[in-house]
Amino acid sequence: MAHHDHKPLTTDLIDLDHEPETKPEAIEQLLDLAVEAGRVTDREQALADLRAREAEATTGVGMGIGIPHAKSSAVTAPTIAFTRSSAGIDFDAMDDEPATLLFMLLVPAEGGEEHLQMLSSLSRSLMHEETRTALQEADSPERVESIILEAVE
Amino acid sequence: MIERTITVVPEDGLHARPASKVVTAANSYDSQVTIGPAGSDGVDAASMLAVTGLGVGPGDDVDITADGPDEADAVDELESILTTPEHDTEHTT
C-alpha cells in the first residue's frame, strides 16, 4: 500500500454538512470520515484507542478547539479529519469554552512521535486568531484542506 | 519573577496527563506562569492549546517563569509535576 505517500488530509476527510451535538458524537463522526476514506482497518479498535486517550486527559484544548487523537494499530496512514459545530459543544475544556472547530488526528502504531509533531504544529497554528476565523468561515472542504495542510507543514 | 530550568521527566512529555496537570496548576495561581523550551520565550502555561503547541518531549529542558504573589509556590508545583515519572503518579491520582 502506498498510503504513506498520501496527504494526511483530503477533502473527503472534511465534513462541513453534519454538525455533531456532543463530544462522543463528534469523535464517532470524525472517526467515520477516516474509516470511509479507507484509513482505518478496525473501527472499534481505533475508537477504543481514542477513548483511552480521552480518558487520560481531555483533548478539549480550549479556545473553542477539540483535537481528539490517538496512535493506533487500526490506522494505516497519518490522518487528519475535520468538522465544525456552529453552536459549539462541551469538550471538557479547562477554559469552559464550547468547541466549534473539531479535529481528529490518527497515526499508525509504528508512527513514533509523528502524531505529536502534527499535534504541536496544528496547535501552534490555531493559537492565531486568523487561523481560527479562517476555519470558521471556510465555505468549502477545499478551503479547509489548504488552511490545515499549511498549518501542519 | 522567578525563573527555573527543568528537565522534563514524564514519558509523554508535555502532552496528555502531564500537560493537563501543568495547565490546571498554572490556572490555580494568581501569578502569571509561562513555560517554554530552555533559552527561548515561554507561552502562557494556563493555556492547554499553547502548551500543546510547544511539542516538548521527555528529556527536553524547559524554562518555567512565574510572576506574582504566589510565584514561588507556582514554580515549585510545576517543577514537581515535570520531574515526577508518570508511573509514580498513576497510583496516587
Side-chain angles (χ1 to χ4, degrees):
Chain A
M1 290 292 191
H3 271 302
H4 297 288
D5 300 330
H6 289 189
K7 290 185 288 187
L9 175 69
T10 49
T11 51
D12 56 340
L13 288 158
I14 297 164
D15 183 357
L16 304 183
D17 298 324
H18 305 90
E19 301 204 350
E21 285 173 12
T22 64
K23 179 174 171 176
E25 208 177 293
I27 291 175
E28 297 222 21
Q29 183 179 324
L30 288 163
L31 175 58
D32 282 336
L33 291 170
V35 171
E36 281 155 31
R39 290 161 178 256
V40 175
T41 53
D42 182 343
R43 186 183 186 279
E44 289 315 302
Q45 181 60 51
L47 186 58
D49 291 334
L50 285 160
R51 285 179 174 159
R53 169 59 185 84
E54 208 59 49
E56 202 180 305
T58 183
T59 60
V61 290
M63 292 179 138
I65 294 155
I67 318 182
H69 59 272
K71 192 152 119 171
S72 174
S73 60
V75 174
T76 57
T79 297
I80 303 172
F82 177 82
T83 189
R84 291 187 297 213
S85 161
S86 46
I89 59 183
D90 181 3
F91 234 80
D92 305 316
M94 274 186 230
D95 66 1
D96 290 326
E97 229 182 283
T100 57
L101 300 175
L102 308 166
F103 301 81
M104 177 166 286
L105 261 53
L106 292 167
V107 290
E110 68 275 18
E113 299 310 300
E114 198 174 8
H115 67 306
L116 298 181
Q117 299 271 345
M118 232 164 38
L119 183 62
S120 304
S121 310
L122 185 62
S123 301
R124 273 197 301 277
S125 160
L126 290 169
M127 291 287 294
H128 302 294
E129 197 183 349
E130 316 85 269
T131 311
R132 299 196 300 273
T133 306
L135 284 168
Q136 259 141 11
E137 292 175 352
D139 54 6
S140 71
E142 288 75 15
R143 177 81 186 113
V144 170
E145 182 193 23
S146 78
I147 296 166
I148 298 176
L149 285 180
E150 196 177 316
V152 297
E153 245 165 33
Chain B
M1 187 186 79
I2 301 182
E3 176 163 358
R4 199 172 295 167
T5 303
I6 292 161
T7 304
V8 174
V9 171
E11 60 179 36
D12 279 341
L14 265 180
H15 291 100
R17 199 180 288 129
S20 163
K21 282 184 181 166
V22 163
V23 176
T24 304
N27 273 299
S28 71
Y29 292 96
D30 293 327
S31 299
Q32 194 67 34
V33 186
T34 72
I35 186 164
S40 51
D41 286 344
V43 299
D44 181 4
S47 162
M48 188 64 152
L49 187 63
V51 169
T52 303
L54 290 173
V56 166
D60 291 354
D61 286 342
V62 293
D63 288 341
I64 295 169
T65 74
D67 191 6
D70 45 13
E71 56 190 31
D73 289 341
V75 168
D76 283 348
E77 185 174 353
L78 257 68
E79 175 172 14
S80 148
I81 294 167
L82 292 172
T83 54
T84 306
E86 225 148 319
H87 49 86
D88 283 3
T89 58
E90 211 103 319
H91 306 288
T92 55
T93 50

